[in-house]
């Protein structure tokens, strides 16, 4: 069974640009969450989608957005990139409506560097 | 508000020595707590959760509601335990995890 797949794995963008990251959850998983990981802040919750609906959003500016498709694949978008957006962006999927520790699986992440 | 605190960013112990990674939480309801581990160049993965009261790779963690702590312990550290460890609190209402800032454990041979 394939794990959570995130693309691209690495990317470099310039300040002011926008970026789209993709996440393919484990087959059959309907919940997808996104987290930002930085050395200073650790892992911070961005948002969670279930059945194409955003159910919860973390404390991030409106430049951060996401969506989920009918096949459960998800994308997140960051517009008007800032240097502070440089981070590892992690996607996690869960088969059930609510996550629990033994049913949430993380991808390897997308490393974003903003220059 | 939900909050997870890991006071130690870095922790070094010698092989064979006991290790304890500290975690404190703030949560008004009944907490669900977990430890996640991230080995070098690998994805984040679940180590253990308090409700199962299990021991994984020799690690245990006991939830202490009085002290609002969920410290991770291992009696004899091994070199392969060197990794980044994150304590996490699950907030079911919001379908999200609150993670601590992590502790980087280095086991010295």
């Amino acid at each position: 069974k394939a794990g959570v797949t995130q693309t691209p794995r690495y990317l470099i963008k310039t300040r002011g640009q926008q970026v789209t990251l993709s996440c393919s959850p484990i087959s059959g998983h309907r919940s997808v969450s996104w987290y930002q990981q930085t050395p200073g802040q650790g892992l911070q919750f961005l948002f969670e989608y279930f059945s194409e609906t955003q159910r919860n959003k973390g404390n991030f500016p409106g430049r951060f957005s996401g969506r989920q498709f009918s096949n459960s694949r998800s994308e997140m978008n960051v517009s008007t990139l800032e240097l502070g957006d440089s981070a590892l962006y992690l996607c996690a999927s869960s088969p059930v409506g609510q996550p629990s520790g033994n049913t949430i699986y993380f991808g390897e992440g997308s490393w974003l560097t903003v220059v | 508000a939900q909050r997870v605190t890991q006071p130690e960013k870095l922790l070094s112990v010698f092989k064979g020595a006991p290790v304890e990674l500290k975690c404190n939480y703030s949560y008004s309801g009944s907490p669900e707590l977990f430890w996640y581990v991230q080995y070098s160049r690998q994805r984040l993965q679940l180590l253990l959760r308090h409700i199962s009261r299990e021991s994984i790779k020799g690690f245990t963690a006991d939830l202490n509601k009085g002290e609002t702590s969920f410290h991770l312990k291992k009696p004899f550290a091994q070199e392969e335990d060197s990794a980044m460890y994150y304590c996490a609190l699950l907030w079911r209402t919001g379908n999200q995890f609150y993670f601590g800032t992590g502790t980087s454990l280095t086991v010295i041979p």
Side-chain angles (χ1 to χ4, degrees):
Chain A
K1 202 175 192 181
V4 178
T5 305
Q6 293 186 244
T7 57
R9 291 293 320 281
Y10 305 92
L11 68 165
I12 300 174
K13 290 286 187 177
T14 304
R15 265 186 309 174
Q17 287 186 312
Q18 66 93 27
V19 66
T20 299
L21 308 178
S22 180
C23 172
S24 293
I26 292 172
S27 179
H29 286 197
R30 295 167 62 193
S31 170
V32 174
S33 305
W34 288 89
Y35 290 83
Q36 182 195 63
Q37 185 177 16
T38 59
Q41 300 294 321
L43 286 103
Q44 293 186 288
F45 174 77
L46 280 156
F47 24 66
E48 188 259 353
Y49 288 88
F50 180 76
S51 294
E52 303 178 67
T53 301
Q54 185 184 87
R55 298 196 295 185
N56 191 21
K57 189 179 192 314
N59 189 26
F60 279 82
R63 301 185 296 107
F64 291 81
S65 62
R67 58 178 176 168
Q68 186 180 35
F69 302 95
S70 58
N71 61 358
S72 294
R73 190 176 70 84
S74 178
E75 289 181 346
M76 68 162 283
N77 185 278
V78 187
S79 62
T80 320
L81 284 165
E82 301 177 359
L83 295 179
D85 297 332
S86 295
L88 176 66
Y89 290 88
L90 292 172
C91 172
S93 76
S94 173
V96 296
Q98 286 189 322
S100 65
N102 67 336
T103 57
I104 186 168
Y105 300 89
F106 284 89
E108 292 182 293
S110 292
W111 282 99
L112 170 64
T113 301
V114 182
V115 297
Chain B
Q2 295 76 233
R3 187 181 180 89
V4 176
T5 303
Q6 292 180 253
E8 305 139 328
K9 291 184 80 74
L10 302 170
L11 184 62
S12 295
V13 300
F14 285 100
K15 178 182 174 181
V19 61
E20 180 180 52
L21 289 83
K22 291 184 168 49
C23 171
N24 289 90
Y25 67 90
S26 172
Y27 188 59
S28 57
S30 183
E32 290 186 61
L33 287 151
F34 307 83
W35 277 98
Y36 280 84
V37 61
Q38 191 169 32
Y39 299 103
S40 180
R41 303 182 195 282
Q42 294 187 28
R43 65 185 71 200
L44 200 62
Q45 57 187 289
L46 176 68
L47 181 62
L48 54 80
R49 52 186 183 137
H50 88 272
I51 59 174
S52 58
R53 302 184 66 81
E54 59 202 340
S55 174
I56 303 294
K57 299 184 179 182
F59 284 98
T60 59
D62 290 318
L63 176 61
N64 186 322
K65 291 187 178 180
E67 296 182 357
T68 59
S69 68
F70 188 55
H71 303 328
L72 183 68
K73 300 177 185 178
K74 185 170 183 177
F76 308 103
Q78 303 299 315
E79 290 178 62
E80 56 265 30
D81 296 330
S82 295
M84 194 74 174
Y85 292 81
Y86 292 94
C87 182
L89 170 72
L90 174 61
W91 181 43
R92 284 205 169 271
T93 303
N95 298 302
Q96 72 179 83
F97 283 91
Y98 286 86
F99 286 89
T101 49
T103 298
S104 177
L105 174 65
T106 300
V107 180
I108 305 166

